[in-house]
Amino acid sequence: MRRIAAWLGVEVPAERWATLVEAATFGAMRERSQALVPDAMGVLKDHQAFFRRGRSGAGRALLSTDELSHYHRRAAEMAPPDLLAWLHRER
């Protein structure tokens, strides 16, 4: 978080870091999922599940082969290839 703040040019008082770091944990975000999850169209069944693990590619385990294929086809219709390459990069 400190590197991101520095990169963005955001100055954070030293006494605020502990609170900010705690607020950024998955547990804290799950607790506030109703307020934090971007679901303007109301399609998510469980807002807390949005904050499941935080590892790239972890969502693949939740989808069937057909669902994953459908996702990739739909994403290709909606986003440019360079964005999709960044979004789907493996770690």
Side-chain angles (χ1 to χ4, degrees), residues 26-55:
F26 278 93
M29 289 188 288
R30 274 187 207 103
E31 288 177 17
R32 296 192 57 231
S33 62
Q34 290 296 342
L36 299 176
V37 172
D39 188 23
M41 297 180 71
V43 299
L44 297 178
K45 294 177 184 175
D46 179 359
H47 287 167
Q48 288 186 339
F50 183 84
F51 299 107
R52 61 185 180 280
R53 282 197 293 217
R55 299 250 187 242

Side-chain angles (χ1 to χ4, degrees), residues 7-90:
W7 183 75
L8 292 172
V10 175
E11 292 187 29
V12 178
E15 65 275 6
R16 297 282 297 150
W17 278 112
T19 302
L20 293 172
V21 170
E22 173 56 31
T25 64
F26 278 93
M29 289 188 288
R30 274 187 207 103
E31 288 177 17
R32 296 192 57 231
S33 62
Q34 290 296 342
L36 299 176
V37 172
D39 188 23
M41 297 180 71
V43 299
L44 297 178
K45 294 177 184 175
D46 179 359
H47 287 167
Q48 288 186 339
F50 183 84
F51 299 107
R52 61 185 180 280
R53 282 197 293 217
R55 299 250 187 242
S56 291
R60 287 186 198 101
L62 302 174
L63 301 176
S64 70
T65 301
D66 288 342
E67 290 169 327
L68 192 56
S69 293
H70 180 263
Y71 161 77
H72 281 289
R73 283 191 307 275
R74 184 69 174 118
E77 294 171 2
M78 299 177 72
D82 60 334
L83 174 60
L84 293 173
W86 172 81
L87 181 64
H88 297 136
R89 70 195 182 284
E90 296 291 329

